[in-house]
């Protein structure tokens, strides 16, 4: 009995360790959840939100007053209604209009500062299963009002023989939402780039799909999110994008240019490092000792450097910052642990906002590290 319990514990530790290194880049399809495959967080592990209350350069304020986030969470626990974050609040920031070669796209009306929430989109259809049956998609569509059905069918519908138009729209526009998936009319209009300027995430607390600017966006610039893994090679990315009915022509995908070839080399190396980290995690001693092996730390530091050079300012980068901080913490190097924990929190704030569980957990861990240094 003791042996079985120990074996079960080891398996759970291995699963948690592998979860920390799932390749997060914000995959849009229901095959992967862009926010559930996060690195391990000390506190909280649900999906995310954002607001304009706090910007990334304001992460580490030393005031001890109760934050707006805490107050909102308290109201949520008591069942008190909170003010809905309707997407109309953000409509002055962007507009939907034709995008050359891409159908409809979202464009900035004015200069937008990184960390700004662009959208809090309501879900039109939500299904609880990550891979619903085709008949369930059809039934959900049949329950919509006529004007909602018209809006649904106005979304991108690629040519996929053997599938009904309703299912084709679902597969091309569905976002992963917790354990299920859904359609959001405005967020579905945002086009793809392998070097996006925005990041999307499902917000469990307000039940909205949120989108945040992860770099400064200039007026009249198109807003992009990433539909697939950042670290995949160009062939794998193009294969992943096939169901959406287009070929990506962003800078990293143009292999006839020097910058495209440089990007390809970096992204291929990222994939190699992820495989190396997985191999390290198969070492039982490393799982139990929590980031004991030196080659794990070196692989993660190299991965962080490549992600920064590729400007992948997404949760994928936050996860690696966090794991590097854990490596240093287990080596009792508190200054370095604190440095990377702050980078993780700042990236989480940039991508998903101040009232996300990821950011709140990161910030609480920073406080614990600060207290440990005293």
């Amino acid at each position: 009995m003791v042996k079985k319990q120990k074996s079960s514990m080891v398996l759970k530790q291995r699963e948690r360790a592998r979860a920390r290194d799932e390749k997060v880049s914000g995959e849009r399809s229901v095959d992967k959840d862009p926010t559930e495959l996060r690195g391990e967080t000390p506190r909280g592990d649900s999906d995310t939100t954002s607001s304009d209350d706090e910007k990334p350069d304001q992460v580490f304020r030393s005031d001890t007053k109760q934050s707006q986030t805490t107050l909102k969470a308290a109201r949520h626990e008591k069942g008190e209604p909170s003010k809905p974050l309707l997407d109309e609040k953000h409509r002055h920031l962007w507009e939907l209009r034709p995008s050359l070669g891409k159908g409809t796209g979202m464009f900035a009306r004015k200069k937008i500062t990184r960390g700004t929430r662009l959208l809090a989109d309501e879900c039109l259809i939500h299904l609880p299963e990550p891979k619903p049956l085709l008949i369930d998609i059809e039934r959900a569509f049949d329950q919509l009002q006529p004007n909602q059905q018209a809006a649904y069918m106005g979304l991108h519908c690629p040519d996929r023989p053997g599938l009904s138009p309703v299912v084709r729209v679902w597969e091309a526009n569905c976002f992963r939402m917790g354990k299920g998936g859904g359609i959001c009319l405005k967020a579905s209009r945002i086009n793809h780039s392998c070097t996006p300027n925005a990041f999307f995430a499902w917000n469990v607390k307000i039940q909205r799909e949120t989108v945040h600017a992860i770099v400064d966006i200039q007026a009249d610039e198109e807003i992009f999110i990433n539909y697939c893994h950042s670290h995949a090679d160009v062939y794998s990315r193009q294969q992943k994008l096939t169901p959406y009915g287009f070929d990506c022509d962003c800078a990293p995908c143009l292999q006839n240019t020097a910058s495209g070839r440089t990007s390809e080399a970096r992204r291929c190396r990222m994939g190699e490092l992820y495989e190396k980290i997985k191999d390290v995690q198969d070492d039982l001693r490393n799982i139990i000792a929590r980031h004991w092996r030196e080659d794990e730390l070196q692989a993660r530091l190299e991965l962080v450097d490549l992600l920064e050079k590729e400007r992948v300012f997404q949760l994928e980068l936050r996860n690696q910052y966090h794991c590097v901080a854990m490596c240093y913490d287990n080596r009792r190097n508190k200054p370095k642990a604190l440095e990377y924990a702050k980078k993780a929190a700042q990236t989480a704030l940039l991508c998903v906002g101040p009232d996300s569980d990821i950011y709140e957990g990161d910030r609480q861990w920073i406080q614990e590290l600060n207290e440990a240094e005293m």
Side-chain angles (χ1 to χ4, degrees):
M1 180 64 71
V2 173
K3 186 175 181 180
K4 288 184 178 180
Q5 289 176 343
K6 185 175 181 180
S7 176
S8 176
M9 179 188 72
V10 170
L11 287 174
K12 289 180 180 179
Q13 289 173 329
R14 182 168 295 182
E15 288 173 2
R16 287 196 296 268
R18 282 197 183 280
R20 286 194 298 270
D21 286 290
E22 286 288 351
K23 304 178 175 82
V24 183
S25 67
E27 247 187 299
R28 175 168 157 177
S29 78
V30 295
D31 295 332
K32 286 289 183 184
D33 183 348
T35 54
E36 77 175 1
L37 302 179
R38 295 182 292 271
E40 180 181 340
T41 56
R43 298 288 186 273
D45 201 30
S46 69
D47 288 313
T48 57
T49 185
S50 172
S51 76
D52 301 328
D53 298 335
E54 190 168 9
K55 296 299 182 186
D57 58 348
Q58 298 173 321
V59 178
F60 311 113
R61 294 176 297 185
S62 59
D63 61 86
T64 57
K65 295 181 181 179
Q66 190 178 25
S67 68
Q68 292 294 325
T69 297
T70 306
L71 293 173
K72 290 177 183 177
R75 288 198 297 268
H76 180 75
E77 291 174 359
K78 292 178 181 178
E80 298 177 19
S82 58
K83 185 178 179 180
L85 298 178
L86 300 176
D87 66 309
E88 282 78 3
K89 175 182 177 182
H90 312 96
R91 282 298 300 270
H92 69 287
L93 297 173
W94 51 265
E95 63 182 355
L96 298 177
R97 68 171 192 251
S99 175
L100 183 63
K102 299 183 177 68
T104 300
M106 181 178 287
F107 292 80
R109 290 178 180 268
K110 53 189 286 188
K111 182 178 179 179
I112 301 172
T113 306
R114 67 196 302 261
T116 300
R117 169 177 283 181
L118 303 173
L119 186 64
D121 202 5
E122 189 174 12
C123 183
L124 179 67
I125 293 179
H126 178 264
L127 294 176
E129 297 298 325
K131 295 183 179 180
L133 299 174
L134 302 187
I135 192 171
D136 291 333
I137 300 173
E138 298 278 3
R139 286 172 177 169
F141 175 80
D142 290 340
Q143 293 174 3
L144 297 176
Q145 298 297 321
N147 63 324
Q148 293 175 319
Q149 291 181 343
Y152 178 99
M153 295 308 300
L155 296 175
H156 178 54
C157 183
D159 183 17
R160 299 193 65 187
L163 296 177
S164 72
V166 170
V167 173
R168 297 205 307 268
V169 169
W170 172 273
E171 292 195 345
N173 296 277
C174 179
F175 289 88
R176 187 68 181 265
M177 299 172 178
K179 294 182 179 180
I183 297 291
C184 297
L185 293 176
K186 295 180 179 64
S188 294
R189 295 294 189 180
I190 305 177
N191 288 315
H192 161 84
S193 173
C194 298
T195 52
N197 51 19
F199 185 83
F200 67 93
W202 177 246
N203 184 318
V204 174
K205 294 181 180 178
I206 64 171
Q207 295 293 294
R208 298 294 176 102
E209 189 74 23
T210 59
V211 180
H212 295 84
I214 56 176
V215 296
D216 290 342
I217 302 175
Q218 302 303 314
D220 208 41
E221 182 180 350
E222 184 166 4
I223 296 166
F224 293 104
I225 56 177
N226 193 346
Y227 294 5
C228 56
H229 292 316
S230 300
H231 49 264
D233 60 82
V234 64
Y235 175 78
S236 299
R237 296 199 307 273
Q238 295 290 358
Q239 288 295 109
K240 180 65 182 177
L241 295 171
T242 298
Y244 298 106
F246 68 88
D247 294 323
C248 184
D249 59 356
C250 69
C253 290
L254 299 178
Q255 293 303 291
N256 59 343
T257 65
S259 61
R261 291 190 291 272
T262 299
S263 177
E264 178 73 354
R266 288 172 180 162
R267 292 175 189 241
C268 288
R269 178 56 180 163
M270 289 182 203
E272 293 172 358
L273 290 169
Y274 274 111
E275 291 301 320
K276 182 176 182 178
I277 290 170
K278 281 188 176 181
D279 290 341
V280 171
Q281 289 180 340
D282 283 333
D283 184 339
L284 182 60
R285 295 171 300 170
N286 196 55
I287 296 172
I288 294 175
R290 301 291 294 279
H291 309 291
W292 165 74
R293 285 176 50 168
E294 183 65 24
D295 49 351
E296 179 189 355
L297 174 59
Q298 295 307 315
R300 292 191 186 280
L301 286 171
E302 184 181 352
L303 189 52
V304 162
D305 179 62
L306 291 171
L307 288 166
E308 290 175 340
K309 287 178 178 177
E310 282 295 285
R311 298 179 64 79
V312 181
F313 303 128
Q314 302 175 90
L315 283 187
E316 184 174 4
L317 178 59
R318 175 263 164 202
N319 293 346
Q320 294 310 315
Y321 283 144
H322 181 81
C323 288
V324 169
M326 292 182 70
C327 288
Y328 280 124
D329 186 40
N330 288 331
R331 288 163 174 74
R332 302 189 184 283
N333 188 337
K334 297 300 180 184
K336 278 291 186 181
L338 188 59
E339 175 188 344
Y340 280 91
K342 287 182 177 181
K343 289 183 178 182
Q346 193 163 6
T347 307
L349 178 62
L350 178 71
C351 295
V352 295
D355 52 356
S356 71
D357 288 342
I358 303 174
Y359 172 70
E360 290 175 356
D362 284 351
R363 187 158 183 169
Q364 185 169 350
W365 191 35
I366 290 169
Q367 183 177 352
E368 292 171 1
L369 289 171
N370 280 321
E371 291 173 352
E373 281 197 314
M374 294 179 180

